[in-house]
């Protein structure tokens, strides 16, 4: 059984950094940046029975109107068992987040994981804008 826990002191930051640095959305991310993101987000770890961290996700939120789910990661050995969906569901069902008007997330490859939770393409994509630093923009443009 996989346990979910939002205690930050339990997170394996080195492991999380390794996961995110190898991801398509934040390749090469620096550890201090990961640490700052953890410090300023509502984080969630997934742990195997032996205490090893096997998953991670975080929400950036005002706890009133908006929450952005980010950095959802499931270790390779735990994929395909519904853990990614379970991590995101935990935020959707969290008492402090019930009633949020808009949850957002971005994915390049897990649309089918999140669609059953009610996620869909933006209804008005013409209203969505972003501002990226040049390095991040170049990395994203290089992703097929």
């Amino acid at each position: 059984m996989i346990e979910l826990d939002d205690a930050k002191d339990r997170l394996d930051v080195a492991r999380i950094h390794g996961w995110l640095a190898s991801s398509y959305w934040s390749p090469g991310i620096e550890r201090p940046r990961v640490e700052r993101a953890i410090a300023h987000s509502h984080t969630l770890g997934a742990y195997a029975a032996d205490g090893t961290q096997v998953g991670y996700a975080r929400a950036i939120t005002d706890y009133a109107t908006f929450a952005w789910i980010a950095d959802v990661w499931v270790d390779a050995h735990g994929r395909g068992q519904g853990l990614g969906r379970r991590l995101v569901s935990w935020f959707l069902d969290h008492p402090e987040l019930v009633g949020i008007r808009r949850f957002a997330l971005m994915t390049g490859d897990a649309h089918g994981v999140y669609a059953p939770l009610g996620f869909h393409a933006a209804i008005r994509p013409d209203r969505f804008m972003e501002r990226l630093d040049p390095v991040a923009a170049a990395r994203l443009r290089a992703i097929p």
Side-chain angles (χ1 to χ4, degrees):
M1 177 76 174
I2 301 295
E3 177 190 7
L4 302 184
D5 187 356
D6 63 350
K8 286 186 182 182
D9 62 351
R10 193 170 173 193
L11 295 171
D12 184 339
V13 177
R15 190 169 180 92
I16 293 166
H17 172 250
W19 288 335
L20 297 180
S22 70
S23 72
Y24 69 80
W25 64 89
S26 59
I29 191 169
E30 310 86 357
R31 181 168 171 153
R33 188 176 302 267
V34 171
E35 291 171 353
R36 196 165 69 219
I38 288 170
H40 297 286
S41 301
H42 191 147
T43 57
L44 181 62
Y47 304 91
D50 67 358
T52 303
Q53 188 167 352
V54 296
Y56 173 75
R58 67 188 181 100
I60 304 94
T61 183
D62 61 6
Y63 294 95
T65 63
F66 180 79
W68 184 281
I69 310 283
D71 295 336
V72 179
W73 187 277
V74 175
D75 192 57
H77 298 95
R79 292 185 186 152
Q81 300 172 38
L83 184 53
R85 186 177 298 152
R86 192 169 156 218
L87 287 162
V88 172
S89 291
W90 187 93
F91 286 112
L92 300 177
D93 298 334
H94 192 282
E96 290 185 69
L97 298 172
V98 169
I100 295 284
R101 292 185 301 186
R102 176 174 290 152
F103 279 92
L105 60 76
M106 294 179 76
T107 183
D109 59 358
H111 298 80
V113 172
Y114 306 122
L117 299 176
F119 286 91
H120 51 78
I123 291 172
R124 295 294 307 263
D126 56 313
R127 294 186 180 185
F128 180 83
M129 296 179 70
E130 64 183 353
R131 180 179 181 265
L132 298 170
D133 72 56
V135 173
R139 286 181 178 160
L140 286 173
R141 286 186 182 102
I143 298 170

